[in-house]
Amino acid sequence: MLLFSDAAFLLLVALALDALIGDPPWLWRHVPHPVTLIGKVIEIADQDFNAPEASEASRKVYGAIFLACLIAISVLVGILLEAILRALPFGEIGIAVIAAVFIAQKSLYDHVAAVRDGLVEGGLAGGRRAVAMIVGRDPEQLDEAGVARAAIESCAENAADGVTAPALWFLVLGLPGLIAYKAVNTADSMIGHRTDRHRAFGWASARFDDLVNWPAARLCGLAMAVTAPLSGRSVTECIAVMRRDAPKHRSPNAGWPEAAMAVVLGLALAGPRAYPGYTVDDPFMNEDGRREATAGDISRALKVFRHAMALQAGTVALLALPALFL
């Protein structure tokens, strides 16, 4: 297991690598991305063990057993990788590179920016095409304001579970914690839905994902609130609205960064949404905010995202100081 300060230093390197390089398409055209491999395992399990004719109770049990096996395998892979790399000269750089692969700062920024560009260059149709890449809701039911809000909400939520959470679990448990987290999060994104097919089989994945994302969602929301003055907003107002509105969200975690982002931008986010096969009738985060979001608001959301991620990286740098000077 890495020492805490050493893990912080390697995390700082990983964050820098991801911010600068991200996920280079040329690499993943030749080598399968680790998250893609995890997704293939989940897809096979869904096909083989989530039989529609089985009872809901049985599917729940099968889903829980599969999740336990997925976590165990992920932890074992992380332990082996970390042990092998630490035994090699300069192997810890390899640990940082692997960690960077599982952190999604640049890819999140690029995907959200693509929605903005799609709206600007291609109108509603262009925005719908781009937003369909990052949200699960039905893009055909979104108007331009809905597309913009969906992109902003995705930016806020995925800042927590795509950057803050993997960074936190790496900081605490090294590669085993990071890889296990990404496995759980990928399972939730693939089978943790409220549809007839996945409501039972994906139940354990969805609930466990809620648990492992609990601290990161609140830390990410706090980071956005602390950077609010850079956007001309009040930290205390942001925290107050976040504490008031986040518990109203259907997700126990997504409401925290979404509510913080809503206040900083002066928007109302979340609210009623349509997904393939079902709809949710959630309350708005910051309900007094403006609902007619625009492509310009996406740019402002990306600015908040950059500020919050810079604050988090600065915090990690402080934690890494003992590794640099002791």
Side-chain angles (χ1 to χ4, degrees):
M1 181 67 68
L2 293 168
L3 294 175
F4 187 80
S5 59
D6 291 340
F9 175 73
L10 293 179
L11 175 58
L12 188 63
V13 174
L15 290 170
L17 287 172
D18 178 64
L20 293 171
I21 301 172
D23 288 329
W26 60 265
L27 175 61
W28 306 123
R29 279 197 295 267
H30 297 89
V31 180
H33 194 287
V35 173
T36 301
L37 295 178
I38 293 170
K40 290 291 185 184
V41 172
I42 296 167
E43 184 179 348
I44 292 169
D46 186 28
Q47 293 172 351
D48 291 350
F49 302 113
N50 187 20
E53 65 272 13
S55 69
E56 187 160 316
S58 296
R59 292 160 76 186
K60 238 182 194 182
V61 171
Y62 294 152
I65 292 172
F66 164 68
L67 178 66
C69 293
L70 182 66
I71 293 171
I73 293 170
S74 301
V75 169
L76 180 60
V77 169
I79 290 172
L80 290 174
L81 280 174
E82 203 169 270
I84 291 170
L85 289 169
R86 292 188 70 190
L88 297 175
F90 307 105
E92 289 190 340
I93 298 301
I95 295 175
V97 171
I98 292 173
V101 168
F102 289 100
I103 295 171
Q105 290 174 109
K106 190 173 188 300
S107 62
L108 174 58
Y109 185 96
D110 291 345
H111 278 94
V112 174
V115 180
R116 175 199 61 199
D117 297 342
L119 283 173
V120 171
E121 298 168 8
L124 179 57
R128 282 174 171 172
R129 283 194 298 271
V131 84
M133 302 295 293
I134 59 173
V135 300
R137 67 195 71 177
D138 184 357
E140 296 306 313
Q141 297 194 38
L142 297 174
D143 57 12
E144 289 195 19
V147 168
R149 284 202 310 272
I152 293 166
E153 291 159 12
S154 180
C155 181
E157 181 179 357
N158 285 293
D161 64 19
V163 185
T164 306
L168 179 63
W169 285 109
F170 177 80
L171 190 62
V172 175
L173 295 175
L175 285 182
L178 172 59
I179 297 173
Y181 168 77
K182 290 301 292 187
V184 171
N185 190 242
T186 304
D188 174 63
S189 68
M190 293 180 65
I191 61 176
H193 307 298
R194 300 171 189 265
T195 58
D196 290 340
R197 175 168 182 81
H198 291 127
R199 184 172 52 249
F201 186 72
W203 176 85
S205 295
R207 298 290 75 77
F208 199 71
D209 183 73
D210 288 342
L211 178 64
V212 296
N213 272 304
W214 193 95
R218 286 144 183 84
L219 289 171
C220 186
L222 180 61
M224 290 180 180
V226 170
T227 64
L230 296 175
S231 300
R233 297 283 173 169
S234 162
V235 174
T236 54
E237 176 196 4
C238 193
I239 291 175
V241 174
M242 181 173 63
R243 293 180 63 187
R244 182 195 72 195
D245 288 355
K248 301 176 185 177
H249 201 286
R250 179 172 295 263
S251 164
N253 296 319
W256 294 85
E258 284 187 25
M261 180 71 82
V263 178
V264 175
L265 299 181
L267 295 174
L269 297 178
R273 300 182 300 283
Y275 294 84
Y278 67 103
T279 60
V280 298
D281 189 21
D282 289 349
F284 281 95
M285 304 287 100
N286 191 37
E287 61 182 355
D288 295 329
R290 175 169 47 89
R291 298 183 185 182
E292 294 302 310
T294 66
D297 290 315
I298 299 177
S299 292
R300 294 170 58 223
L302 289 169
K303 186 176 180 181
V304 175
F305 170 70
R306 290 198 307 270
H307 290 161
M309 296 304 100
L311 177 61
Q312 290 184 174
T315 303
V316 172
L318 290 176
L319 296 173
L321 285 178
L324 295 173
F325 298 108
L326 295 181

